[in-house]
Amino acid sequence: MKHLIAPSVLSCDFANMQRDIEMINESNADWFHIDVMDGVFVPNISFGFPILKAIKKHAKKTIDVHLMIVNPDQYIEEFANSGADIITVHYEACPHLHRTIQLIHSFGMKAGVALNPHTDVSVLNSIISDIDMVLIMSVNPGFGGQKFIENAIKKVADAKQLIEKSGSKAIIEVDGGVNLDTGSRLVEAGAQVLVAGSFVFNSEKPSDTITALKNM
Ligand code: DX5
Ligand code: ZN
């Protein structure tokens, strides 16, 4: 499969959100990546349901929600009602991860599991067959515009191996510090979805940057 591009709305101009959503609609991007932060699991607060619902009203592509929050279970239903197609929770935030995955699936959404830079891929051994996506964090979650952590390349290869060995249908997404250099190396290692925030929105022509990432 040709890799997918998921621009992170976190880096868009919040005062011109509709304009930036239309840009993504008309671009070669595949998904909308939505970063929800609670100020507890990560040292930053982003946005919640009202913003997601406003995005959903205009977005014409898959809504990929990345939850950087503790106790995600109590909000899964509201995320489903707010328009999420895929929900990714953090391994480090879920003591009952299998239950959380079942809950996400019970609302007809796809379920992903994200791993912080310090968390080894092997922790997914017993859950890999139950999930639709592995999200390898290539920065410490919480902020856009951080420097890519090189070890993520090896983790993508590890995830690919685990998926092949287990017969899982999960796909591999990578989030943080993605640009044309890191992006092409990630795709080579087996990444199938690239999230890109600041590289897209800080560029002169974001839709051209999306095309460049797609055509790598
Ligand atoms: C970081 C978020 C990312 C962020 C990526 O916690 O999960 O999705 O927006 O931003 P860049 O591409 O600028 O690293
Ligand atoms: Zn993210």
Side-chain angles (χ1 to χ4, degrees), residues 22 25 81 100 116 133 135 138 142 145 158 166 169 177 195 208:
E22 299 296 356
N25 280 339
N81 294 336
T100 307
N116 276 339
M133 189 161 80
L135 171 50
S138 40
D158 290 348
S166 65
K169 295 208 164 54
V195 176
D208 287 355

Side-chain angles (χ1 to χ4, degrees), residues 33 35 66 68 175 195:
H33 184 81
D35 289 304
H66 175 193
M68 287 160 271
D175 186 2
V195 176

